Amino acid sequence: MRLKVLVDLPRHSPLDPLLDYLAPEAWPAGTLVRVPLGRREVCGIVWGPGDELASPDGEGGAVVLREIAQALDALPPLGEAWRRLAAFAATYYQRSLGEVALGALPPDLRELDATQLVRRLRRGDKLDREAAKAAQAASAEASPVPEPSDEQREALAQLAAMPPGPVLLFGATGSGKTEVYLREAARVLEAGGQVLVLVPEINLTPQLEARLAARFPGRRLVSLHSGLTPAQRLQGWLAAHRGRADLVLGTRMAIFASLPRLGLIVVDEEHDPSYKQQEGARYSARDLAVWRGRAEGVPVLLGSATPSLESWHNALPAAEGGAGRYRRLDMPARIGGGALPRVRTVDLARIAAQFGKRAVYSQPLAPPLLEAMRERLARGEQSLVLLNRRGYAPVLHCTSCGWKSDCAHCSAWRVFHRSDRTLRCHHCGFSERVPFACPSCGDPDLQPMGRGTERLEEQIAELLPGARIGRIDADTTRHKGSLESQLAQVHDGEIDVLVGTQMVAKGHDFRRMTLVAAVQADAALFSSDFRAPERLFALLMQAGGRAGRDAELAGRSEIWLQTWHAAHPLYAALRRHDYPAFAAAQLLERESAAMPPYAFQALLRAEARSQQAACDFLETVSAATLDWPEAAEVLIFPPVPAPIQRVADVERAQMLLEASSRQALHRLLARWQPVLAQSAARTGEARVLRWALDVDPLAI
């Protein structure tokens, strides 16, 4: 008997990843198997019956098929819905089916044989029994369920009356969106379904995991994210696949979890760009969640206080210029009647005119903002100072000859980290000790330029003597458990002023925080990326949402923005907390410029030893489409260097494709694949090292 088995072949292999193998019995589609492939034995997935007709081998004989080594039939087959999801993701994002489907499985699972799998399942059974006992013991200590607010009650009633499909839950920060998730999850669990909850970042999982465990103590909860050990990830995946886990909480990779009883998908902070994978198969977990919900007939809750413009457009009725694909539920009020923070702008241009630019650049905090923080300190309240740049200073420079700390391997500067006295490139990782003198002229007077979180923490400590200053960024949270420890200090009131990057600007519930300040709010106002204003508005509103979470303190909570452009329309909308007005203005600009969501894009990136080779590759594949009928509806822009042109001694270039029709773009991309592979096969200095096709790119 012949079976089609899906294997993970190299992306540009001439072989189809669905290969025929001989099998002693008809294992059902979705069964995991071990099969010989070349000199290796690899994991594969039975995809269906093979072609029973003999195939010529080019010499008049018949192809000699190899046999499946063994079936991992102790594990239930992967369901049809899961296989459809993998097939759709591979087709839409222009990747190999084997790469997507096998890559979605835990790495440890792909290495197990049948005997090892049985051992793991037995171990899993033991863990399940222990978890069941613990859940039974904890169920008697279930935390009390809070009474829903009127808005929450109305949202839940509307959800119950709606047919399954995507719903945008548009709620202000602190409006209680999580409680809506929990109550909708409870309804699904009572009906015997499984719930998948997606969060954008790993650091948001601990507090939500604790809340889910407290609300559903008798239910099995597992996490799926890259911060787990391979063994933990495998056990969580197996529990979900076997139907033992009722709730699955994870980052973007969890969208591919096998859930035989899926009843609800929640995408929290759906606007976050972290849901888009940036390496390998560049999929969007949010978009796949919407597709999976439609395909499996389950509701999808997309929650955000600042939805992505794509989701907002999809939730707008056609009569208002939207697509009308999603339904929208609004929750504009905070729980307990707390007021949203007052937004105050500090006009740096006015301060510079009064005191001189040197006074502005030498101090991180303007006098009015510093006074407001002193008031919080006197009242025992907390402040958050946001600066989305880690390190001490972005550049170290010589005042004598103008030397700057550039990276020898990238077209970028090396960042000065004072804590370990290093100059570190955040792109390739190249690091060196700070030189004792300028490498160019020998002057020992090297000065930092600009400001990072490390320097900001030091300067605030000088301005607020006696204040307890904390810092949370990628440098202070490298070690396991460090983030949880620092967040606990904030929650326990052991920190007066918290300095942080965007990783503390979303999802965290700081009850004593009454002031949030963005000290460099203008960074993205005039970016070449058309999505930069959307991201800036979301970041500032989400950061401001950390203030005034406690209703008793909400009346004096404030967001302070230090800006050189106080009259900018973005800040005007932010002062009113008016996301709909901001979104309407942005969508109008996007429509007039034919930008997403009114157009559909793909970005082809190329890497080579020289910029000329990368651009030549892009020009070659672009020229191949000139006579294609599929190219008539697609605009292909000329190749340009990437924003960071050189990384780790590799030159990078990119080329944008744009179409007014999604179908037209994908017809061209599908025909393009063999041309890309053939053009990349050149040898010598002119060859391209890597290329990647990014469908629906978020960074251009």
Side-chain angles (χ1 to χ4, degrees):
M1 175 173 293
R2 299 170 70 158
L3 293 177
K4 288 282 187 190
V5 177
L6 179 67
V7 295
D8 185 5
L9 291 173
R11 182 174 45 167
H12 310 307
S13 171
L15 293 177
D16 189 315
L18 287 170
L19 302 177
D20 278 15
Y21 285 90
L22 291 177
E25 59 180 282
W27 286 301
T31 301
L32 293 181
V33 292
R34 304 286 302 176
V35 295
L37 183 66
R39 297 181 180 180
R40 301 176 297 144
E41 186 176 280
V42 299
C43 180
I45 304 172
V46 174
W47 215 252
D51 185 1
E52 294 296 339
L53 299 176
S55 303
D57 64 358
E59 299 180 1
V63 172
V64 178
L65 296 181
R66 304 178 76 175
E67 294 185 356
I68 293 175
Q70 55 181 198
L72 281 65
D73 51 1
L75 195 66
L78 293 161
E80 182 184 354
W82 187 92
R83 301 196 305 276
R84 287 202 309 268
L85 173 67
F88 169 78
T91 301
Y92 187 86
Y93 293 105
Q94 300 294 315
R95 306 297 293 197
S96 161
L97 176 58
E99 176 191 14
V100 172
L102 274 301
L105 301 179
D108 272 16
L109 181 60
R110 300 197 298 267
E111 301 300 323
L112 298 179
D113 61 26
T115 303
Q116 293 169 329
L117 176 62
V118 169
R119 290 199 199 103
R120 291 295 184 101
L121 293 178
R122 287 174 181 164
R123 190 182 309 168
D125 291 340
K126 181 180 179 181
L127 291 174
D128 288 343
R129 288 193 294 270
E130 292 173 355
K133 289 180 181 178
Q136 187 175 4
S139 60
E141 303 174 2
S143 58
V145 178
E147 280 296 315
S149 67
D150 292 340
E151 280 189 353
Q152 290 171 335
R153 194 176 288 108
E154 177 63 23
L156 289 164
Q158 292 187 49
L159 279 173
M162 290 178 179
V167 177
L168 178 62
L169 187 60
F170 172 50
T173 54
S175 61
K177 295 185 292 294
T178 303
E179 183 63 26
V180 175
Y181 304 156
L182 295 175
R183 286 180 173 270
E184 190 66 8
R187 182 189 64 79
V188 171
L189 293 173
E190 285 298 321
Q194 291 174 296
V195 177
L196 172 62
V197 181
L198 298 180
V199 292
E201 295 180 8
I202 295 173
N203 63 58
L204 296 179
T205 57
Q207 62 182 32
L208 188 52
E209 185 174 12
R211 191 162 177 182
L212 287 168
R215 179 61 68 90
F216 305 110
R219 301 288 186 172
R220 177 77 186 275
L221 167 65
V222 299
S223 293
L224 289 176
H225 54 75
S226 59
L228 301 173
T229 65
Q232 289 172 329
R233 182 178 166 189
L234 174 59
Q235 289 300 334
W237 188 92
L238 289 174
H241 174 63
R242 300 169 78 189
R244 308 279 181 88
D246 299 303
L247 298 117
V248 176
L249 172 65
T251 53
R252 60 177 176 261
M253 68 164 61
I255 189 57
F256 289 108
S258 175
L259 297 159
R261 299 182 285 109
L262 182 62
L264 172 67
I265 302 176
V266 174
V267 185
D268 193 25
E269 308 292 359
E270 67 84 30
H271 65 277
D272 199 292
S274 298
Y275 283 120
K276 185 70 156 57
Q277 172 76 9
Q278 297 297 336
E279 297 292 336
R282 289 166 165 78
Y283 63 88
S284 166
R286 179 201 65 202
D287 295 347
L288 287 181
V290 172
W291 188 91
R292 186 173 186 178
R294 289 190 187 276
E296 300 193 38
V298 302
V300 180
L301 279 180
L302 307 171
S304 178
T306 54
S308 64
L309 288 181
E310 286 81 3
S311 294
W312 185 259
H313 175 70
N314 282 328
L316 280 177
E320 299 178 25
R325 297 190 185 97
Y326 303 170
R327 291 174 295 277
R328 191 179 94 205
L329 299 177
D330 293 350
M331 295 173 57
R334 280 188 154 185
I335 291 295
L340 289 168
R342 178 187 177 192
V343 179
R344 303 186 62 173
T345 53
V346 178
D347 191 344
L348 296 179
R350 181 177 297 178
I351 294 177
Q354 184 177 359
F355 299 104
K357 286 189 175 182
R358 184 178 181 84
V360 174
Y361 289 121
S362 62
Q363 295 294 335
L365 306 177
L369 172 57
L370 185 60
E371 183 60 31
M373 292 177 64
R374 287 187 177 128
E375 291 176 6
R376 265 67 183 183
L377 191 61
R379 292 199 298 256
E381 298 167 5
Q382 296 172 316
S383 301
L384 168 64
V385 183
L386 182 69
L387 177 61
N388 205 26
R389 178 180 287 162
R390 62 190 174 99
Y392 189 85
V395 183
L396 201 63
H397 82 121
C398 174
T399 56
S400 297
C401 70
W403 172 87
K404 295 181 178 64
S405 56
D406 59 330
C407 177
H409 309 287
C410 306
S411 53
W413 307 113
R414 282 181 295 164
V415 176
F416 173 38
H417 288 260
R418 189 170 183 175
S419 58
D420 56 4
R421 300 291 299 175
T422 61
L423 295 174
R424 197 182 311 161
C425 178
H426 289 176
H427 298 281
C428 72
F430 177 57
S431 177
E432 282 184 332
R433 298 285 295 176
V434 173
F436 291 104
C438 173
S440 179
C441 71
D443 189 339
D445 187 20
L446 297 177
Q447 296 294 325
M449 289 180 66
R451 184 180 293 115
T453 51
E454 193 178 338
R455 189 179 189 186
L456 181 60
E457 177 188 22
E458 177 185 280
Q459 292 178 319
I460 291 177
E462 294 173 356
L463 293 169
L464 297 173
R468 298 168 296 178
I469 315 296
R471 173 165 58 95
I472 296 181
D473 56 26
D475 295 324
T476 64
T477 57
R478 284 180 293 178
H479 302 295
K480 186 176 181 179
S482 57
L483 175 62
E484 291 79 2
S485 169
Q486 292 178 74
L487 289 175
Q489 287 183 305
V490 180
H491 290 302
D492 293 341
E494 298 174 13
I495 299 294
D496 298 316
V497 179
L498 176 63
V499 176
T501 57
Q502 65 177 357
M503 66 189 300
V504 296
K506 51 199 170 187
H508 300 292
D509 191 1
F510 302 132
R511 308 305 295 180
R512 303 291 300 173
M513 193 80 68
T514 60
L515 184 147
V516 173
V519 295
Q520 291 184 4
D522 297 337
L525 279 183
F526 307 105
S527 169
S528 59
D529 188 344
F530 68 90
R531 285 192 172 88
E534 175 187 359
R535 293 199 186 107
L536 176 61
F537 189 93
L539 176 62
L540 295 177
M541 184 168 274
Q542 292 288 337
R546 301 316 105 207
R549 309 284 285 196
D550 191 323
E552 295 180 2
L553 303 176
R556 52 178 181 262
S557 62
E558 294 178 337
I559 308 171
W560 285 72
L561 307 174
Q562 293 192 162
T563 173
W564 292 91
H565 307 278
H568 196 281
L570 185 147
Y571 296 137
L574 197 65
R575 278 192 288 269
R576 301 190 306 268
H577 295 279
D578 194 351
Y579 175 83
F582 168 77
Q586 286 291 303
L587 286 174
L588 192 62
E589 290 184 12
R590 299 264 188 105
E591 186 175 21
S592 64
M595 291 288 189
Y598 301 98
F600 304 93
Q601 296 178 333
L603 194 66
L604 179 61
R605 296 184 174 95
E607 299 180 1
R609 291 299 178 193
S610 69
Q611 184 66 211
Q612 186 64 47
C615 288
D616 285 348
F617 165 75
L618 296 176
E619 288 174 353
T620 299
V621 296
S622 175
T625 67
L626 291 177
D627 299 328
W628 293 0
E630 293 89 347
E633 301 177 73
V634 180
L635 177 61
I636 303 179
F637 290 83
V640 295
I644 306 296
Q645 181 173 328
R646 181 167 54 95
V647 173
D649 295 319
V650 173
E651 294 287 335
R652 310 191 304 169
Q654 62 187 33
M655 185 168 65
L656 181 66
L657 291 80
E658 193 171 84
S660 59
S661 162
R662 194 189 302 271
Q663 291 75 18
L665 178 63
H666 279 267
R667 282 195 296 269
L668 176 67
L669 296 180
R671 185 172 176 182
W672 221 15
Q673 288 292 337
V675 175
L676 290 167
Q678 183 179 0
S679 300
R682 292 177 297 181
T683 58
E685 284 297 317
R687 76 184 183 95
V688 66
L689 299 176
R690 287 179 294 273
W691 61 268
L693 191 59
D694 189 354
V695 180
D696 300 335
L698 289 187
I700 298 177

